[in-house]
Amino acid sequence: MLVLLRQGKISKWFSGIGQEAISVGATLALQPDEWIMPLHRNLGVFTSRKMPLEKLFMQWQGSKNGYSKGRERSFHFGSKEHFICGMISHLGPQLAIADGIALAYKLKKENKVSIAFTGEGGTSEGDFHEALNVAAVWDLPVIFIIENNGYGLSTPAKEQYRCENLIDKAKGYGMEGVQIDGNNILEVYDTLKGVREYCINNQKPYLIECMTFRMRGHEEASGTKYVPTEMFEEWNKKDPIKNYEQYLIEEKVLSEITIADIRNEFKAEIEVSLNSSRVGTSESFHIEEELKDVYAPNKKGYSSTKPNRFHFPPSGDRGLKFFEAIKEGLHQSMQQHQNLILMGQDIAEYGGAFKITEGFVEEFGKERIRNTPLCESAIVGAALGLSLEGYKSVMEMQFGDFVTVGFNQIINNLAKINYRWGQNADVVIRMPTGGGVGAGPFHSQSNEAWFIHTPGLKVVYPSSPEDAKGLLIATINDPNPVMFFEHKALYRSVSGNVPKEYYEIEIGKAKVVKEGEDLSIITYGAGVHWAVEYANKNLDISIQILDLRTLLPLDYSAIKEAVKSTGKILILHEDTLIGGIGGEISAWVNEHCFEWLDAPVMRCASLDTPIPFNLELEKNFMAKARLHQAIEKLLAY
Ligand SMILES: Cc1ncc(C[n+]2csc(CCOP(=O)(O)OP(=O)(O)O)c2C)c(N)n1
């Protein structure tokens, strides 16, 4: 590989020379259908799972016939067929995915473990702490393997942690652990076999620290100047392959001639696979195909084969509050999908901060209604792990503001995984959001725009109880990651007729809430209620109101129709102005609907400040405070 790298035939390469025994020994100790979360040093995982070399070479050349269709580099890809979950560059997030997979094994009562790798550098990440803690608290059969090679890029271990040995951390998490010689393949294999049995029989996690050394740079370009030469000499003597060969010769299992033959066989296989992988052939890529793979096809819905999937039942005369409609949608989804798991802080006996899941644990049990430790990142990661094993999950952010500490898993794992290597993330994240209740900067933010800018996510934001129920059901049926925003101020202040049936409202479809001729307000969430209130008080102005309901993907045809019908567009949102979705819609209308416009597209948004606590200040912050002014300005144009 190093030669091919120099010849420019493969992309950036992370060498595992010196550490081979860990990947190979660990992989061989597992059953082939147990998931592994490898990192960039773990070529041995891929080869030990017998992935065809030819396709691996295609992957490393960025070919569209590789495992990630040219979309990922080096080792950042997975293969469902081989039960390997591809890493993201951020390293630590792999660990919590293993938790989710182990949880799935546990729930299915399968005798399996999952394995996640980390370097000693990666143990400094919060993800390490969160994943180990969750695995311990939930008694998950997962093995965490630290490959301690002494350096995190150039940073020596003594600048990485203060405990004597990383294995000492196991005790702190309440799990067993062992430190072993990572350069001895038999020790690795035997330890892993034993630990696997332990994890399955005791339904517990385990931490293994493999002492090893990296004989090359972090990647080839960065060199090894920071490593004293004596270290190379010392570790060269402990080379895992040379030593194992020597052992096999001494034990008379192999002779030097057989070893040479084996090497030659490998060499020939590598040559043939490399040649047939067509190095250097130019390939064409198509925009449609790239866009198509951003989302997994929505085939798995409860009634995708039924023609009336999006049929909205008659509304009847049963009034439900916004939060009750969400609760009912969630409840019916739990009945519909036996493989649906709910996770969140305080959602079990306590019923959640907003009581959406009150009574659920009594009905569905603690296995499916899971209180989580305070660790958003690990829970999003675990949700992804569940999805790898065919589960659906809904995670409740206690407040949408706290999504920041789970951000990486959402943005980089959930959103990108289907595009990167064809694995869907069947996860819904419920986001109690928004202000108006004097809750200050960290319990009131509107942060939907962060997610709208992330291809691969869907962003749903209902404003009425009937939409909230139908859209929540649709998001749970959708196999893609969905951010589901629930405005907190609407929970108990808004009621509506909500059908009793289990029904979906189609994601990506806006709704005209009120017809009008003078101007159109395009809005969502609380904005819909502000606009309706304004229109009802100002009957002399004929206002059309379009409720977007879904922010990603946007319903462009409904937006175009709104422009055509009034020629005057005001985009209203509670989110702050700069970088809010209003800017995006405005740009799109300008580009695509210019000829129907009678005035510039205008925006009414909240002030570009953090959201303040004092109720008067908050009122002033809100877009609603400037709605009248904005409408007057637009009408006067
Ligand atoms: C979150 C994050 N920060 C920084 C980096 C850059 N980076 C890549 S690998 C690495 C060192 C990793 O060290 P370690 O976990 O010990 O693994 P090793 O490469 O030694 O096998 C760093 C700093 C990264 N990939 N992700």
Side-chain angles (χ1 to χ4, degrees):
M1 298 313 294
L2 298 184
V3 171
L4 294 176
L5 183 73
R6 264 176 245 128
Q7 292 172 346
K9 289 188 180 158
I10 57 160
S11 63
K12 190 169 172 127
W13 189 252
F14 300 91
S15 163
I17 295 176
Q19 305 185 201
E20 297 92 334
I22 304 168
S23 308
V24 175
T27 307
L28 295 181
L30 293 196
Q31 293 301 308
D33 60 351
E34 289 174 312
W35 280 93
I36 303 183
M37 277 27 70
L39 288 182
H40 51 291
R41 302 267 167 249
N42 301 127
L43 173 62
V45 169
F46 296 82
T47 51
S48 300
R49 279 273 157 100
K50 299 201 177 358
M51 293 173 85
L53 270 184
E54 183 188 356
K55 194 160 173 180
L56 284 175
F57 277 122
M58 288 172 177
Q59 171 67 28
W60 295 323
Q61 292 164 68
S63 159
K64 69 189 289 188
N65 297 317
Y67 285 95
S68 71
K69 301 189 186 175
R71 295 164 186 165
E72 262 292 12
R73 64 185 197 168
S74 311
F75 295 101
H76 306 54
F77 65 95
S79 164
K80 290 193 248 189
E81 194 191 334
H82 298 94
F83 296 87
I84 292 175
C85 174
M87 67 180 286
I88 64 168
S89 297
H90 304 65
L91 315 168
Q94 286 288 77
L95 299 158
I97 303 176
D99 284 354
I101 292 167
L103 175 59
Y105 293 156
K106 191 181 185 78
L107 295 175
K108 292 183 197 170
K109 302 201 182 343
E110 289 183 340
N111 287 335
K112 288 182 177 174
V113 292
S114 60
I115 287 195
F117 287 89
T118 175
E120 85 291 343
T123 65
S124 301
E125 293 189 59
D127 284 308
F128 176 83
H129 163 71
E130 291 195 9
L132 268 70
N133 187 52
V134 170
V137 173
W138 285 359
D139 293 322
L140 302 176
V142 45
I143 305 174
F144 300 104
I145 302 182
I146 305 170
E147 292 185 81
N148 192 339
N149 61 16
Y151 291 89
L153 213 162
S154 75
T155 304
K158 67 176 184 320
E159 291 179 36
Q160 199 72 247
Y161 53 88
R162 266 290 168 275
C163 50
E164 201 173 328
N165 292 296
L166 281 170
I167 203 63
D168 300 342
K169 297 201 176 196
K171 195 167 174 49
Y173 292 110
M175 68 174 75
E176 296 294 324
V178 64
Q179 188 186 65
I180 60 170
D181 175 2
N183 280 25
N184 181 335
I185 186 153
L186 297 181
E187 190 169 334
V188 174
Y189 180 80
D190 284 344
T191 307
L192 260 292
K193 277 263 174 200
V195 167
R196 180 179 174 276
E197 288 297 308
Y198 166 90
C199 292
I200 290 172
N201 294 337
N202 297 283
Q203 289 295 294
K204 292 272 181 206
Y206 207 98
L207 182 64
I208 302 178
E209 183 181 11
C210 296
M211 304 311 287
T212 187
F213 191 69
R214 149 161 72 73
M215 298 300 281
R216 309 286 308 178
H218 164 63
E219 34 70 50
E220 287 309 303
S222 59
T224 52
K225 268 195 189 146
Y226 48 85
V227 182
T229 326
E230 316 82 76
M231 293 275 281
F232 286 112
E233 289 159 8
E234 184 193 328
W235 281 92
N236 193 29
K237 289 186 209 136
K238 300 184 199 165
D239 182 88
I241 297 177
K242 276 195 241 158
N243 279 321
Y244 189 46
E245 283 178 356
Q246 198 50 46
Y247 168 81
L248 293 174
I249 291 168
E250 280 164 19
E251 293 289 313
K252 301 203 175 2
V253 177
L254 294 179
S255 67
E256 286 192 18
I257 296 173
T258 353
I259 290 175
D261 286 347
I262 292 173
R263 281 188 181 277
N264 286 336
E265 268 171 43
F266 274 133
K267 207 162 178 250
E269 191 189 335
I270 289 169
E271 292 292 330
V272 170
S273 307
L274 180 63
N275 288 336
S276 58
S277 69
R278 296 166 189 266
V279 183
T281 327
S282 71
E283 291 177 345
S284 56
F285 294 89
H286 302 286
I287 289 181
E288 302 77 44
E289 199 186 329
E290 294 311 292
L291 291 173
K292 181 175 74 58
D293 285 351
V294 170
Y295 294 120
N298 190 357
K299 282 190 201 142
K300 290 202 284 186
Y302 77 100
S303 58
S304 54
T305 50
K306 291 184 195 164
N308 64 344
R309 177 162 185 194
F310 299 115
H311 170 70
F312 190 77
S315 62
D317 56 1
R318 187 185 60 135
L320 283 190
K321 289 190 172 154
F322 194 80
F323 89 98
E324 292 168 328
I326 291 172
K327 180 172 184 166
E328 189 167 277
L330 205 51
H331 186 262
Q332 291 180 354
S333 297
M334 286 296 289
Q335 292 172 325
Q336 193 75 27
H337 300 287
Q338 291 308 309
N339 65 341
L340 174 61
I341 309 294
L342 306 190
M343 299 186 284
Q345 287 149 27
D346 310 293
I347 67 161
E349 292 80 359
Y350 186 68
F354 299 98
K355 303 295 169 209
I356 304 279
T357 52
E358 195 160 50
F360 278 36
V361 78
E362 290 79 3
E363 186 174 347
F364 300 109
K366 289 277 278 185
E367 288 201 326
R368 293 180 67 199
I369 310 296
R370 307 189 72 88
N371 270 346
T372 72
L374 217 160
C375 51
E376 286 74 3
S377 182
I379 301 307
V380 180
L384 179 54
L386 282 171
S387 179
L388 262 60
E389 270 293 304
Y391 278 87
K392 288 180 168 289
S393 58
V394 174
M395 177 193 174
E396 176 177 295
M397 283 286 162
Q398 197 158 70
F399 284 78
D401 307 64
F402 304 139
V403 75
T404 41
V405 275
F407 204 60
N408 189 30
Q409 289 281 23
I410 297 172
I411 298 293
N412 289 317
N413 247 335
L414 296 190
K416 299 178 176 47
I417 193 165
N418 195 67
Y419 178 76
R420 292 171 57 236
W421 55 278
Q423 167 64 54
N424 71 308
D426 200 341
V427 179
V428 175
I429 300 187
R430 291 187 34 239
M431 298 276 289
T433 191
V437 289
F442 304 115
H443 289 79
S444 312
Q445 289 172 85
S446 294
N447 53 24
E448 59 273 17
W450 297 345
F451 304 99
I452 292 156
H453 191 59
T454 303
L457 297 177
K458 294 189 180 181
V459 179
V460 173
Y461 201 145
S463 72
S464 71
E466 47 276 56
D467 283 353
K469 177 178 167 183
L471 278 165
L472 181 59
I473 289 173
T475 65
I476 293 170
N477 285 326
D478 194 299
N480 292 287
V482 187
M483 305 299 293
F484 189 84
F485 284 82
E486 304 167 4
H487 200 295
K488 302 191 295 284
L490 305 184
Y491 273 149
R492 285 167 172 80
S493 68
V494 169
S495 302
N497 286 333
V498 179
K500 286 197 177 78
E501 290 87 342
Y502 174 77
Y503 64 93
E504 281 192 15
I505 293 198
E506 191 175 355
I507 297 172
K509 288 274 179 269
K511 178 169 84 176
V512 176
V513 173
K514 184 185 166 304
E515 293 292 356
E517 284 162 13
D518 296 337
L519 82 153
S520 302
I521 299 182
I522 299 179
T523 186
Y524 56 94
V528 175
H529 299 277
W530 298 341
V532 169
E533 186 188 319
Y534 187 91
N536 289 342
K537 276 194 195 145
N538 296 274
L539 297 173
D540 51 324
I541 313 171
S542 174
I543 301 177
Q544 183 194 48
I545 300 169
L546 181 69
D547 179 359
L548 290 169
R549 304 198 290 188
T550 299
L551 305 182
L552 187 68
L554 269 175
D555 186 347
Y556 289 109
S557 75
I559 294 171
K560 188 183 241 177
E561 285 311 309
V563 183
K564 280 189 188 170
S565 53
T566 65
K568 290 190 173 178
I569 296 293
L570 176 69
I571 304 153
L572 169 68
H573 54 64
E574 182 176 323
D575 196 359
T576 51
L577 184 74
I578 297 175
I581 195 170
E584 181 58 34
I585 297 172
S586 167
W588 188 86
V589 169
N590 184 38
E591 273 179 64
H592 299 272
C593 311
F594 187 69
E595 57 270 43
W596 295 293
L597 282 174
D598 293 328
V601 178
M602 295 183 60
R603 291 172 295 162
C604 179
S606 293
L607 282 187
D608 282 311
T609 66
I611 178 164
F613 163 66
N614 176 293
L615 275 175
E616 279 310 302
L617 268 180
E618 189 187 37
K619 223 169 164 186
N620 174 60
F621 162 89
M622 288 285 178
K624 188 183 178 190
R626 285 166 297 282
L627 180 58
H628 175 66
Q629 214 180 328
I631 290 174
E632 294 276 287
K633 195 169 164 193
L634 183 56
L635 285 177
Y637 196 86

PDB file of all heavy atoms in Angstrom, residues 311-330:
ATOM      1  N   HIS A 311     -53.760   9.525   3.185  1.00  0.00           N
ATOM      2  CA  HIS A 311     -55.153   9.935   3.341  1.00  0.00           C
ATOM      3  C   HIS A 311     -55.356  10.490   4.751  1.00  0.00           C
ATOM      4  O   HIS A 311     -54.983   9.874   5.744  1.00  0.00           O
ATOM      5  CB  HIS A 311     -56.064   8.732   3.103  1.00  0.00           C
ATOM      6  CG  HIS A 311     -57.480   8.997   3.460  1.00  0.00           C
ATOM      7  ND1 HIS A 311     -58.271   9.840   2.717  1.00  0.00           N
ATOM      8  CD2 HIS A 311     -58.241   8.553   4.487  1.00  0.00           C
ATOM      9  CE1 HIS A 311     -59.467   9.892   3.281  1.00  0.00           C
ATOM     10  NE2 HIS A 311     -59.473   9.131   4.355  1.00  0.00           N
ATOM     11  N   PHE A 312     -55.962  11.644   4.808  1.00  0.00           N
ATOM     12  CA  PHE A 312     -56.183  12.278   6.098  1.00  0.00           C
ATOM     13  C   PHE A 312     -57.614  11.960   6.531  1.00  0.00           C
ATOM     14  O   PHE A 312     -58.568  12.356   5.885  1.00  0.00           O
ATOM     15  CB  PHE A 312     -55.974  13.785   5.951  1.00  0.00           C
ATOM     16  CG  PHE A 312     -55.952  14.509   7.253  1.00  0.00           C
ATOM     17  CD1 PHE A 312     -54.822  14.460   8.058  1.00  0.00           C
ATOM     18  CD2 PHE A 312     -57.046  15.229   7.682  1.00  0.00           C
ATOM     19  CE1 PHE A 312     -54.791  15.132   9.261  1.00  0.00           C
ATOM     20  CE2 PHE A 312     -57.020  15.907   8.887  1.00  0.00           C
ATOM     21  CZ  PHE A 312     -55.893  15.855   9.674  1.00  0.00           C
ATOM     22  N   PRO A 313     -57.799  11.232   7.634  1.00  0.00           N
ATOM     23  CA  PRO A 313     -59.163  10.847   8.014  1.00  0.00           C
ATOM     24  C   PRO A 313     -59.991  12.069   8.411  1.00  0.00           C
ATOM     25  O   PRO A 313     -59.435  13.110   8.767  1.00  0.00           O
ATOM     26  CB  PRO A 313     -58.947   9.949   9.241  1.00  0.00           C
ATOM     27  CG  PRO A 313     -57.493   9.738   9.371  1.00  0.00           C
ATOM     28  CD  PRO A 313     -56.795  10.781   8.583  1.00  0.00           C
ATOM     29  N   PRO A 314     -61.334  11.941   8.377  1.00  0.00           N
ATOM     30  CA  PRO A 314     -62.180  13.094   8.760  1.00  0.00           C
ATOM     31  C   PRO A 314     -61.860  13.515  10.187  1.00  0.00           C
ATOM     32  O   PRO A 314     -61.559  12.681  11.044  1.00  0.00           O
ATOM     33  CB  PRO A 314     -63.601  12.534   8.664  1.00  0.00           C
ATOM     34  CG  PRO A 314     -63.460  11.049   8.560  1.00  0.00           C
ATOM     35  CD  PRO A 314     -62.093  10.751   8.050  1.00  0.00           C
ATOM     36  N   SER A 315     -61.908  14.804  10.435  1.00  0.00           N
ATOM     37  CA  SER A 315     -61.343  15.280  11.690  1.00  0.00           C
ATOM     38  C   SER A 315     -62.209  14.978  12.915  1.00  0.00           C
ATOM     39  O   SER A 315     -61.700  14.919  14.016  1.00  0.00           O
ATOM     40  CB  SER A 315     -61.042  16.764  11.602  1.00  0.00           C
ATOM     41  OG  SER A 315     -62.219  17.454  11.385  1.00  0.00           O
ATOM     42  N   GLY A 316     -63.511  14.774  12.729  1.00  0.00           N
ATOM     43  CA  GLY A 316     -64.348  14.481  13.894  1.00  0.00           C
ATOM     44  C   GLY A 316     -64.430  15.687  14.807  1.00  0.00           C
ATOM     45  O   GLY A 316     -64.029  16.795  14.445  1.00  0.00           O
ATOM     46  N   ASP A 317     -64.951  15.484  16.008  1.00  0.00           N
ATOM     47  CA  ASP A 317     -65.125  16.656  16.868  1.00  0.00           C
ATOM     48  C   ASP A 317     -64.355  16.503  18.173  1.00  0.00           C
ATOM     49  O   ASP A 317     -64.744  16.995  19.212  1.00  0.00           O
ATOM     50  CB  ASP A 317     -66.614  16.886  17.138  1.00  0.00           C
ATOM     51  CG  ASP A 317     -67.255  15.645  17.748  1.00  0.00           C
ATOM     52  OD1 ASP A 317     -66.538  14.643  17.960  1.00  0.00           O
ATOM     53  OD2 ASP A 317     -68.469  15.690  17.987  1.00  0.00           O
ATOM     54  N   ARG A 318     -63.239  15.803  18.101  1.00  0.00           N
ATOM     55  CA  ARG A 318     -62.497  15.552  19.333  1.00  0.00           C
ATOM     56  C   ARG A 318     -61.335  16.536  19.452  1.00  0.00           C
ATOM     57  O   ARG A 318     -60.408  16.517  18.645  1.00  0.00           O
ATOM     58  CB  ARG A 318     -61.968  14.121  19.286  1.00  0.00           C
ATOM     59  CG  ARG A 318     -61.329  13.660  20.571  1.00  0.00           C
ATOM     60  CD  ARG A 318     -60.738  12.288  20.356  1.00  0.00           C
ATOM     61  NE  ARG A 318     -59.728  12.318  19.297  1.00  0.00           N
ATOM     62  CZ  ARG A 318     -58.538  11.731  19.388  1.00  0.00           C
ATOM     63  NH1 ARG A 318     -58.219  11.065  20.463  1.00  0.00           N
ATOM     64  NH2 ARG A 318     -57.689  11.801  18.392  1.00  0.00           N
ATOM     65  N   GLY A 319     -61.408  17.409  20.409  1.00  0.00           N
ATOM     66  CA  GLY A 319     -60.330  18.386  20.561  1.00  0.00           C
ATOM     67  C   GLY A 319     -59.170  17.818  21.366  1.00  0.00           C
ATOM     68  O   GLY A 319     -59.378  17.177  22.391  1.00  0.00           O
ATOM     69  N   LEU A 320     -57.954  18.026  20.856  1.00  0.00           N
ATOM     70  CA  LEU A 320     -56.765  17.631  21.616  1.00  0.00           C
ATOM     71  C   LEU A 320     -55.808  18.805  21.666  1.00  0.00           C
ATOM     72  O   LEU A 320     -55.719  19.580  20.705  1.00  0.00           O
ATOM     73  CB  LEU A 320     -56.023  16.467  20.937  1.00  0.00           C
ATOM     74  CG  LEU A 320     -56.546  15.033  21.046  1.00  0.00           C
ATOM     75  CD1 LEU A 320     -55.505  14.064  20.511  1.00  0.00           C
ATOM     76  CD2 LEU A 320     -56.927  14.665  22.472  1.00  0.00           C
ATOM     77  N   LYS A 321     -55.113  18.920  22.773  1.00  0.00           N
ATOM     78  CA  LYS A 321     -54.054  19.929  22.836  1.00  0.00           C
ATOM     79  C   LYS A 321     -52.868  19.446  21.995  1.00  0.00           C
ATOM     80  O   LYS A 321     -52.743  18.243  21.736  1.00  0.00           O
ATOM     81  CB  LYS A 321     -53.623  20.143  24.281  1.00  0.00           C
ATOM     82  CG  LYS A 321     -54.694  20.865  25.078  1.00  0.00           C
ATOM     83  CD  LYS A 321     -54.193  21.298  26.418  1.00  0.00           C
ATOM     84  CE  LYS A 321     -55.258  22.187  27.057  1.00  0.00           C
ATOM     85  NZ  LYS A 321     -55.222  22.192  28.475  1.00  0.00           N
ATOM     86  N   PHE A 322     -52.016  20.393  21.655  1.00  0.00           N
ATOM     87  CA  PHE A 322     -50.840  20.091  20.821  1.00  0.00           C
ATOM     88  C   PHE A 322     -50.028  18.942  21.438  1.00  0.00           C
ATOM     89  O   PHE A 322     -49.680  17.976  20.767  1.00  0.00           O
ATOM     90  CB  PHE A 322     -50.002  21.371  20.715  1.00  0.00           C
ATOM     91  CG  PHE A 322     -48.950  21.359  19.653  1.00  0.00           C
ATOM     92  CD1 PHE A 322     -49.264  21.590  18.320  1.00  0.00           C
ATOM     93  CD2 PHE A 322     -47.618  21.151  19.989  1.00  0.00           C
ATOM     94  CE1 PHE A 322     -48.272  21.602  17.333  1.00  0.00           C
ATOM     95  CE2 PHE A 322     -46.624  21.153  19.021  1.00  0.00           C
ATOM     96  CZ  PHE A 322     -46.959  21.384  17.694  1.00  0.00           C
ATOM     97  N   PHE A 323     -49.772  19.019  22.742  1.00  0.00           N
ATOM     98  CA  PHE A 323     -48.923  17.983  23.350  1.00  0.00           C
ATOM     99  C   PHE A 323     -49.634  16.633  23.400  1.00  0.00           C
ATOM    100  O   PHE A 323     -49.016  15.578  23.279  1.00  0.00           O
ATOM    101  CB  PHE A 323     -48.436  18.411  24.751  1.00  0.00           C
ATOM    102  CG  PHE A 323     -49.335  18.053  25.894  1.00  0.00           C
ATOM    103  CD1 PHE A 323     -49.093  16.930  26.666  1.00  0.00           C
ATOM    104  CD2 PHE A 323     -50.435  18.836  26.199  1.00  0.00           C
ATOM    105  CE1 PHE A 323     -49.919  16.585  27.736  1.00  0.00           C
ATOM    106  CE2 PHE A 323     -51.273  18.506  27.252  1.00  0.00           C
ATOM    107  CZ  PHE A 323     -51.025  17.385  28.023  1.00  0.00           C
ATOM    108  N   GLU A 324     -50.982  16.691  23.505  1.00  0.00           N
ATOM    109  CA  GLU A 324     -51.732  15.420  23.532  1.00  0.00           C
ATOM    110  C   GLU A 324     -51.710  14.744  22.165  1.00  0.00           C
ATOM    111  O   GLU A 324     -51.670  13.515  22.064  1.00  0.00           O
ATOM    112  CB  GLU A 324     -53.188  15.677  23.955  1.00  0.00           C
ATOM    113  CG  GLU A 324     -53.309  16.113  25.409  1.00  0.00           C
ATOM    114  CD  GLU A 324     -54.693  16.652  25.754  1.00  0.00           C
ATOM    115  OE1 GLU A 324     -55.366  17.251  24.870  1.00  0.00           O
ATOM    116  OE2 GLU A 324     -55.091  16.509  26.928  1.00  0.00           O
ATOM    117  N   ALA A 325     -51.718  15.567  21.124  1.00  0.00           N
ATOM    118  CA  ALA A 325     -51.670  15.006  19.769  1.00  0.00           C
ATOM    119  C   ALA A 325     -50.321  14.329  19.517  1.00  0.00           C
ATOM    120  O   ALA A 325     -50.253  13.250  18.915  1.00  0.00           O
ATOM    121  CB  ALA A 325     -51.907  16.125  18.749  1.00  0.00           C
ATOM    122  N   ILE A 326     -49.266  14.964  20.010  1.00  0.00           N
ATOM    123  CA  ILE A 326     -47.929  14.362  19.855  1.00  0.00           C
ATOM    124  C   ILE A 326     -47.874  13.053  20.634  1.00  0.00           C
ATOM    125  O   ILE A 326     -47.393  12.024  20.145  1.00  0.00           O
ATOM    126  CB  ILE A 326     -46.844  15.350  20.325  1.00  0.00           C
ATOM    127  CG1 ILE A 326     -46.774  16.528  19.347  1.00  0.00           C
ATOM    128  CG2 ILE A 326     -45.480  14.663  20.432  1.00  0.00           C
ATOM    129  CD1 ILE A 326     -45.886  17.648  19.791  1.00  0.00           C
ATOM    130  N   LYS A 327     -48.406  13.112  21.822  1.00  0.00           N
ATOM    131  CA  LYS A 327     -48.411  11.918  22.675  1.00  0.00           C
ATOM    132  C   LYS A 327     -49.167  10.779  21.985  1.00  0.00           C
ATOM    133  O   LYS A 327     -48.704   9.637  21.959  1.00  0.00           O
ATOM    134  CB  LYS A 327     -49.080  12.281  24.011  1.00  0.00           C
ATOM    135  CG  LYS A 327     -49.147  11.156  24.980  1.00  0.00           C
ATOM    136  CD  LYS A 327     -49.641  11.622  26.340  1.00  0.00           C
ATOM    137  CE  LYS A 327     -49.569  10.431  27.277  1.00  0.00           C
ATOM    138  NZ  LYS A 327     -49.697  10.772  28.643  1.00  0.00           N
ATOM    139  N   GLU A 328     -50.302  11.122  21.371  1.00  0.00           N
ATOM    140  CA  GLU A 328     -51.094  10.076  20.724  1.00  0.00           C
ATOM    141  C   GLU A 328     -50.365   9.498  19.501  1.00  0.00           C
ATOM    142  O   GLU A 328     -50.375   8.290  19.275  1.00  0.00           O
ATOM    143  CB  GLU A 328     -52.460  10.645  20.312  1.00  0.00           C
ATOM    144  CG  GLU A 328     -53.414   9.585  19.829  1.00  0.00           C
ATOM    145  CD  GLU A 328     -54.835  10.108  19.719  1.00  0.00           C
ATOM    146  OE1 GLU A 328     -55.531  10.139  20.753  1.00  0.00           O
ATOM    147  OE2 GLU A 328     -55.252  10.513  18.613  1.00  0.00           O
ATOM    148  N   GLY A 329     -49.714  10.382  18.753  1.00  0.00           N
ATOM    149  CA  GLY A 329     -48.953   9.909  17.583  1.00  0.00           C
ATOM    150  C   GLY A 329     -47.842   8.962  18.000  1.00  0.00           C
ATOM    151  O   GLY A 329     -47.584   7.930  17.370  1.00  0.00           O
ATOM    152  N   LEU A 330     -47.204   9.327  19.099  1.00  0.00           N
ATOM    153  CA  LEU A 330     -46.090   8.511  19.604  1.00  0.00           C
ATOM    154  C   LEU A 330     -46.626   7.174  20.134  1.00  0.00           C
ATOM    155  O   LEU A 330     -46.056   6.105  19.884  1.00  0.00           O
ATOM    156  CB  LEU A 330     -45.411   9.304  20.729  1.00  0.00           C
ATOM    157  CG  LEU A 330     -43.955   9.034  21.046  1.00  0.00           C
ATOM    158  CD1 LEU A 330     -43.081   9.093  19.805  1.00  0.00           C
ATOM    159  CD2 LEU A 330     -43.461  10.046  22.094  1.00  0.00           C
TER     160      LEU A 330
END
